[in-house]
Amino acid sequence: MFHRRPHQSRFGVSLSIFGLAFALALAGCSDDATGEGDQGEMTEEDCAPDEQWNPISQTCTPSADPDDGNDDQPDAGGPDEDTGDEEEEESDTGDDDEEDATNGGNNGGEIEDGCGEEGAVTSISGVVTIPSKELPLPDVAVYVPGTTPEQVEVGASCEPCQDELSGTPLVDTRTNVNGEFTLNQAPAGEDIPLVIEVGKWRRQVTIDYVEPCQNNEITDLDKTRLPKNRDEGDIPQFAVTTGECDALECLLRKIGIDDSEFTPEDQDGSVHLFAGRGGTNRYDNSLHDGAAFTYGWDWWDDLDNLLPYDIVVHSCECSNYGGDKSDQARQALLDFTEAGGRVFLSHLHDIWLSDGPSDFQAVANWADFAAITGGMEPEIGLIDTSFEKGHVLREWMYQTGTTPAGEFPIVETRGSIESLNEEYSQQWVWIESDGMDFDFPGMPGGGFEDMFPDPPPELVQYFSFNTPIDAQPDHQCGRVVFSDIHVSAGEASAPEHHFPNGCTTAELTPQEKALVFMLFDLSRCIIPDKGLL
């Protein structure tokens, strides 16, 4: 397992703040819970032999339930239980207005529902979005932590899906296809912490006050979006190579990552840019004093250069440029994925697979030509719903405004793949070749028909596979997504366009939206594509 350059989130939530939040939460609906009574800065070492440490309230509590004369002090584990004491019964029934409705007690990691009214429950709800707030995100973990979550470590790492969420969640859930979540039986009170997490994206926010025994809807999307920068939370470490034919650096801006996060590799930004053939090769003077990018071919030969990253993105350079990609570099990319790294390849970066190590070559059968190409007239992309994630992508695209369901327009389609090896690879999006006009100005022989007279009926546009390809699913660590289209075709990446000046559009196109879905899927823990989310 590789853990390089551990990164401590700049959003710090100390254990003492958690303690305060949940000490308040324990009071729930009780009118006599004022939050007064300073417990001081206690640690587990302060507990007496007959006491046990409660990490939620940050106090020492009796190991048993002795009659110590402190009947007015609530137990840190939840509301006082009925012991049959006549004086307690009188107290419990003497004032109808002080009915115990505590909903925040922690009992072995579970929240006790003390709301008296039938059907009443303390809950927190909202919608999780990408950093820009433009799109909701499905299958994101949302939880109230009981302890401080461990820091997210950046770099290639093998993280099984069965690993539990960090921070001992008191309550947790996952977002639906519309990004919506509801946390039932949540703790009530002031300063309730909330964690939003998908892969190595994580944001921790504080809810000022959670009303007991009712739903608390968070309507401010700035509270429930993923972080735009590392001051707000954790972002995977990206390495992006630029290219003349696809400006994928612009896609990361469009999902909402701040420009301040795009930095040279010797700085602490979450996105490091490297120069590819024909792509932008330096920052604008307003960013990092116009620093030049390191060239990709000077960087990708060495596995040690790749391992500090979570995700490597290669933007299409308009040709394969095989001489720039040594055998050592191609092996390093495979080794990176098998160590837990994630890779996105655009169009003519197919050479990493088609002419790479044998395991990469095994995932698909590639055409013997540089490009079968369509122009800017859109073709119809069809979503493969033969697997569970495909169903979710179809529904998500439809719910976010792409109609009709199950299809979307694609410009600059390509046809580099003859067929997939279905033992290893999963098709996500395809186009029908029948009746398509693939003529491309300047192509020798006049176009598609002359170069590929008998095309397959389905041309794969997006596919993915996990690595090592022959490992059992629970021992696979890495993931590769390949796009046979120019995803961000409307942007300009060129030496004369210093970053971010070539990024000129703000709205995500349908083909970019589909990639956004796959980009966040790329950052998740590894499960078989045909498995359930």
Side-chain angles (χ1 to χ4, degrees):
M1 181 182 298
F2 294 89
H3 294 287
R4 301 300 177 103
R5 292 191 300 160
H7 167 66
Q8 177 66 52
S9 171
R10 299 172 192 164
F11 183 99
V13 182
S14 69
L15 198 58
S16 61
I17 292 177
F18 281 117
L20 174 60
F22 286 103
L24 289 167
L26 294 177
C29 301
S30 300
D31 294 339
D32 61 351
T34 63
E36 298 177 359
D38 185 10
Q39 295 289 333
E41 293 291 335
M42 300 187 68
T43 67
E44 187 171 358
E45 287 71 21
D46 296 321
C47 297
D50 61 345
E51 293 179 320
Q52 62 184 2
W53 176 248
N54 188 312
I56 306 304
S57 63
Q58 296 287 286
T59 59
C60 300
T61 58
S63 297
D65 190 19
D67 184 8
D68 56 6
N70 290 326
D71 291 336
D72 58 339
Q73 177 68 33
D75 180 13
D80 290 338
E81 296 181 0
D82 184 3
T83 62
D85 185 283
E86 187 176 340
E87 186 176 343
E88 282 191 9
E89 289 180 9
E90 209 171 287
S91 174
D92 287 343
T93 59
D95 189 345
D96 291 339
D97 293 333
E98 292 190 0
E99 202 173 307
D100 183 8
T102 300
N103 189 234
N106 178 33
N107 182 11
E110 297 181 359
I111 302 299
E112 293 185 5
D113 182 6
C115 294
E117 183 180 348
E118 184 177 354
V121 64
T122 304
S123 61
I124 302 168
S125 64
V127 177
V128 174
T129 71
I130 64 176
S132 69
K133 301 182 289 189
E134 184 176 344
L135 294 172
L137 275 178
D139 198 39
V140 177
V142 183
Y143 61 98
V144 174
T147 60
T148 305
E150 296 177 2
Q151 71 178 36
V152 175
E153 295 188 3
V154 300
S157 57
C158 195
E159 299 176 354
C161 275
Q162 59 266 31
D163 282 2
E164 296 180 356
L165 294 168
S166 177
T168 318
L170 299 177
V171 288
D172 65 274
T173 189
R174 304 191 81 84
T175 57
N176 64 16
V177 73
N178 296 313
E180 300 164 336
F181 69 90
T182 299
L183 282 167
N184 289 318
Q185 296 188 331
E190 296 179 347
D191 298 330
I192 302 300
L194 187 73
V195 177
I196 301 163
E197 182 175 318
V198 53
K200 292 188 179 182
W201 294 84
R202 183 199 284 168
R203 187 155 182 225
Q204 304 176 76
V205 298
T206 300
I207 305 173
D208 293 337
Y209 189 76
V210 172
E211 291 281 357
C213 307
Q214 67 179 54
N215 181 47
N216 296 261
E217 182 181 5
I218 304 173
T219 57
D220 182 1
L221 292 180
D222 276 318
K223 278 278 193 182
T224 55
R225 60 170 172 77
L226 289 177
K228 293 183 173 183
N229 55 62
R230 284 183 168 166
D231 287 329
E232 294 183 342
D234 295 286
I235 301 173
Q237 190 71 56
F238 287 88
V240 180
T241 64
T242 64
E244 181 181 355
C245 277
D246 205 355
L248 290 173
E249 67 274 14
C250 297
L251 179 64
L252 294 183
R253 286 186 82 237
K254 289 170 80 168
I255 68 173
I257 298 178
D258 283 345
D259 284 350
S260 61
E261 290 294 317
F262 293 78
T263 69
E265 63 269 26
D266 60 353
Q267 297 185 28
D268 196 31
S270 57
V271 184
H272 295 162
L273 297 180
F274 297 86
R277 294 283 184 176
T280 183
N281 58 12
R282 65 172 55 246
Y283 294 96
D284 182 73
N285 289 334
S286 62
L287 276 178
H288 316 299
D289 298 321
F293 301 169
T294 298
Y295 283 101
W297 51 88
D298 290 331
W299 164 75
W300 57 41
D301 272 8
D302 192 340
L303 176 61
D304 286 340
N305 290 340
L306 305 181
L307 290 174
Y309 294 93
D310 297 302
I311 301 174
V312 170
V313 177
H314 288 322
S315 307
C316 181
E317 300 172 303
C318 295
S319 184
N320 291 131
Y321 293 107
D324 295 343
K325 302 163 181 72
S326 67
D327 289 343
Q328 180 180 338
R330 300 178 201 197
Q331 184 64 47
L333 192 67
L334 173 64
D335 293 343
F336 170 69
T337 68
E338 293 187 347
R342 317 300 167 85
V343 174
F344 177 83
L345 302 172
S346 170
H347 189 211
L348 290 174
H349 276 290
D350 61 358
I351 192 171
W352 298 95
L353 307 179
S354 62
D355 291 321
S358 58
D359 279 9
F360 271 173
Q361 292 187 37
V363 302
N365 297 312
W366 301 86
D368 295 328
F369 39 79
I372 299 172
T373 182
M376 294 303 291
E377 287 298 318
E379 304 292 347
I380 300 300
L382 302 170
I383 299 172
D384 189 327
T385 57
S386 65
F387 66 118
E388 182 67 19
K389 288 183 181 180
H391 277 288
V392 177
L393 174 60
R394 175 187 184 274
E395 181 65 16
W396 180 79
M397 291 284 285
Y398 179 73
Q399 293 295 336
T400 55
T402 301
T403 57
E407 57 187 65
F408 61 94
I410 300 177
V411 298
E412 295 200 28
T413 52
R414 298 295 183 265
S416 307
I417 304 161
E418 289 189 354
S419 63
L420 294 180
N421 184 340
E422 295 183 1
E423 180 182 357
Y424 304 128
S425 302
Q426 174 61 55
Q427 172 181 266
W428 286 70
V429 176
W430 54 282
I431 56 177
E432 294 179 337
S433 63
D434 185 36
M436 293 179 59
D437 179 12
F438 277 90
D439 286 345
F440 186 68
M443 181 180 288
F448 170 74
E449 292 83 359
D450 294 334
M451 297 183 69
F452 199 8
D454 189 22
E458 298 179 6
L459 296 175
V460 179
Q461 299 300 289
Y462 289 139
F463 80 89
S464 65
F465 62 93
N466 298 336
T467 64
I469 60 171
D470 286 318
Q472 292 297 311
D474 58 352
H475 287 88
Q476 290 182 314
C477 296
R479 186 166 174 80
V480 178
V481 170
F482 176 78
S483 166
D484 208 20
I485 64 175
H486 295 156
V487 180
S488 294
E491 311 290 357
S493 187
E496 63 270 24
H497 297 302
H498 299 166
F499 180 82
N501 298 334
C503 305
T504 57
T505 65
E507 187 175 350
L508 290 163
T509 65
Q511 65 197 54
E512 286 178 323
K513 284 170 57 177
L515 180 57
V516 168
F517 182 98
M518 297 183 71
L519 187 66
F520 283 97
D521 179 73
L522 186 65
S523 69
R524 301 178 191 276
C525 60
I526 300 297
I527 63 172
D529 283 325
K530 292 179 172 59
L532 298 177
L533 282 172

